[in-house]
Amino acid sequence: MNACAPAWFEALGRMLDALQVGMCLFDEGDCTQAWNQSFLRLFPEHRAQIHRGEPYAENLRRFYRARLEGAELANLERYVQAGIERHQQQFHPYDFLHRGERITVASLPLAGLGRLRLWRILAPPAPERAPEPRIDAAALLDRAPSGLVLSDDQGRITWANDPFAMLYGLADAQAALGRTLPELFLDVWMREGAELAAQHADEAAMLQEIMLFTGSPFELQLPGGRQLRVLSRSGATGGAQLYAHLDVTELQRQRERLAQAERNARIHADTALRESALLQAVLHGMQQGIAMVSAEGRVDYHNQRLLQLLDLAPEYLQGRPWQDDVVRLLREGGDWEALSPEALAQLSGWPPENAPGIVCLALRQRSSGRVLEVGSVQVPGGGVLHTVNDVTERHAHQQHIEHMASHDGLTGLLNRGRFLELLAAEIALAQRSGARLGVLYVDLDGFKPINDVHGHAAGDEVLRQAAQVLQSLARESDFVARLGGDEFAVLQRGIHQPHEAQALAVRAAAALAQPVATAGAAVAVGASIGVALYPEDGADPQALLAAADQAMYRAKARARPRPLS
Ligand SMILES: Nc1nc2c(ncn2[C@@H]2O[C@H](COP(=O)(O)OP(=O)(O)OP(=O)(O)O)[C@@H](O)[C@H]2O)c(=O)[nH]1
């Protein structure tokens, strides 16, 4: 407030500041005389631009000069004049926009003082509100998702909605009025037949009781498998009661389905448990050792039989050892010797066309002599299943059959067929190495009479001893065979000079000339021996043996007949 204003006017200005009302006083010559702080807050552009005693026209002129441009400036005095006229003629408040605010201004001529102008910011208009919806309560209740009834203190229904009428099979809600819930409940069942109604009489009685004494929710069963949950609330007046009937049929069905699913799951879990126990029992009772190795290589599972077959401590395998460690343990002391692939092929027919899924089959011999057949099958998802069978007897039998097929049963020497096979193999080797071979064809002299005179058993004994004589004279690397009857052959390997074969023939003839002790008597035989050499006398087994045979005949022809002893 400027200092020249009357004191009461200054007080008025501060009061109007408190009300945030801007104020400006002009004298009767329209010169500015006084203003308050709110005026400067509303019109900050007037700060330092308003001067006491200045004509309002000057103020306006300054105002327009700062804002008008170009041709508009020509209109300046017109605008100033219009502003002065508005100022002098204003008697009613009007609104205008200034700096984003809507401001109302009032102007009042004061006799002897001049004119007082007041400004105030108008509150922004309240946003338009949507009209309140008109609610039709009755229609709304008829669309409620539950059947609603009101009953009086006698339990008589005083109001019901349409869903309630539908639940109880009534023509409309009016039909429920004056009735009680138990009555309507029995009516519903009566329409299904007297027998069913009788079955539900107890429920109706219980319903009566529940309505009288408890306010807790209860469930009702209606025809068609419908299940209702009834909730009750005390009404506002007297003993009036509100009952809400919720159709929980689907909920109930879902609950039952869930319970059934739980029961089924429990049954499946029990079955799985039983089957697993059964499987354990079967696996442990098996004659076959089983080991399940995980994808990372640990022995995850084993059965009892595996422990016996491998002589392993149960605690060791329970620790889920690495498979490689188990094999290392078994190999220590030669306890896991791999048998030849030929032995495996003879025993198992490997590769086993009829054993799908087996990726590996091997024969292992324990230091105890037991022979184990180990089969390995890839497990889907990683890992290997090993099966271990004790095939010791089968293996021994197989070995025996093989021995029989290649050896002479009486003397234990190689038979003719095997001898020729070995001879062929040695010739092939000798061909490459340039080695020399010697073949001795040995035919006993005077053998037949031993059979005739001393019997067949004595003859057998003579044959067995002749075989031993030849075996003892031959080197470890030589092969001795009985070709048949009283004929034998020796394949001499690694000889360097032809006379080495002759020397063996001489030693053999001398040894076989010695008397042989049989069970009955000492008998004497001799031997005619023919020698053939590879490569000099034949290039294949038959030719070589034939050459030795012929040499033997020549020797026999030279020999003198020997007397019987
Ligand atoms: N005890 C016995 N006799 C056999 C066996 N195999 C063949 N013989 C007999 O051996 C005899 C062989 O007859 P020979 O070859 O004439 O015998 P040998 O009296 O020595 O006459 P040479 O060979 O011509 O010197 C036959 O009487 C056969 O029956 C056998 O396994 N055991």
Side-chain angles (χ1 to χ4, degrees), residues 106-233:
S107 183
L108 182 70
L110 297 174
L113 265 179
R115 179 172 284 269
L116 181 67
R117 296 189 82 184
L118 300 174
W119 293 267
R120 181 171 65 85
I121 296 176
L122 290 172
E128 266 186 35
R129 288 179 58 188
E132 291 283 334
R134 284 188 56 234
I135 296 172
D136 182 343
L140 194 68
L141 288 172
D142 280 337
R143 281 185 181 76
S146 51
L148 301 170
V149 284
L150 270 177
S151 68
D152 62 16
D153 55 355
Q154 300 299 306
R156 305 246 156 243
I157 292 171
T158 55
W159 173 85
N161 68 354
D162 286 350
F164 176 82
M166 279 176 68
L167 279 174
Y168 281 82
L170 301 171
D172 53 30
Q174 294 293 315
L177 303 185
R179 311 289 306 281
T180 67
L181 271 179
E183 283 170 9
L184 292 176
F185 176 74
L186 271 180
D187 280 0
V188 168
W189 283 109
M190 275 304 281
R191 285 198 287 279
E192 298 295 313
E195 199 179 330
L196 278 173
Q199 283 174 18
H200 289 275
D202 284 354
E203 279 175 77
M206 209 162 65
L207 177 57
Q208 181 82 49
E209 209 156 302
I210 288 168
M211 288 172 64
L212 285 177
F213 300 112
T214 71
S216 54
F218 53 94
E219 293 207 349
L220 286 178
Q221 207 189 341
L222 291 184
R226 280 174 307 154
Q227 194 82 17
L228 294 183
R229 170 164 276 245
V230 185
L231 308 167
S232 62
R233 290 281 178 280

Side-chain angles (χ1 to χ4, degrees), residues 23 112 183 222 240 268 281 304 313 319 352 364 384 397 427 450 462 496 500 539 545:
M23 179 207 84
E183 283 170 9
L222 291 184
H268 284 138
Q304 199 63 33
R364 297 278 181 262
V384 176
H397 183 62
I427 288 173
I450 293 175
V462 169
H496 302 100
E500 290 174 47
L545 200 60

Side-chain angles (χ1 to χ4, degrees), residues 410 443-449 451 456 459-460 463 482 485-486 556:
L410 179 68
D443 188 295
L444 298 185
D445 296 330
F447 177 69
K448 188 172 180 300
N451 269 341
H456 208 266
D460 282 354
L463 290 173
R482 183 184 172 204
D486 60 350
K556 197 177 277 283

